Amino acid sequence: MAEVSQSAAPVGPEAQYQRFLQEGRFMLQRSVSTGRYVFYPRVAIPGTGETDLEWVEAAGTGRIYAITVNRSRNASHNVALIDLDEGVRMMSRVADRETAAIGSRVRARVLEEDGQALVVFDVIDEVQA
């Protein structure tokens, strides 16, 4: 009996996104037909259902939409919603500071923390409150 070759299972969008981050690349999905970006990685664009998604390098710039600080006895860290210039919003954090002004311009960078690659943002133009 001939041995059947088993091909590797297809890699899902989240796993592909994580692989890009491990390579130090911040990538987003974009519909080939409409040019619309989507984040968090998925197989189809919500609401319209386009499945012709390709991976493209993110510009990596955006604005802080909202930010909050979580404090504990041992440390504090922020959680920020960032409106990327591509028109999608993502949750992340602003690095190397406790907080920043809403509306401030930020730039992404890939950081490895506890063996996991993730996207954090640095303030490049702070809005004065």
Side-chain angles (χ1 to χ4, degrees):
M1 182 175 229
E3 189 174 325
V4 177
S5 169
Q6 293 184 353
S7 61
V11 176
E14 183 175 358
Q16 288 176 316
Y17 175 71
Q18 289 299 323
R19 283 184 186 175
F20 288 128
L21 289 180
Q22 290 296 332
E23 296 169 0
R25 300 170 65 199
F26 178 28
M27 304 289 283
L28 295 174
Q29 290 174 296
R30 179 179 64 195
S31 168
V32 173
S33 60
T34 66
R36 184 173 169 205
Y37 289 87
V38 64
F39 187 84
Y40 199 79
R42 50 190 81 222
V43 295
I45 292 184
T48 57
E50 292 99 24
T51 58
D52 61 342
L53 299 174
E54 64 179 350
W55 289 99
V56 295
E57 192 87 30
T61 51
R63 288 193 183 278
I64 297 173
Y65 175 80
I67 189 166
T68 190
V69 179
N70 292 318
R71 292 182 175 87
S72 70
R73 292 177 194 224
N74 301 325
S76 63
H77 68 278
N78 63 61
V79 176
L81 292 176
I82 307 295
D83 283 341
L84 296 176
D85 290 344
E86 288 86 356
V88 295
R89 182 174 292 157
M90 72 180 290
M91 185 181 295
S92 183
R93 72 173 194 243
V94 177
D96 303 326
R97 55 172 61 206
E98 188 172 87
T99 192
I102 292 174
S104 296
R105 294 283 297 159
V106 291
R107 176 171 289 119
R109 65 182 160 100
V110 178
L111 174 73
E112 187 171 323
E113 192 171 87
D114 299 326
Q116 180 73 31
L118 54 113
V119 176
V120 297
F121 290 85
D122 296 306
V123 173
I124 56 176
D125 183 22
E126 184 134 30
V127 170
Q128 300 301 316

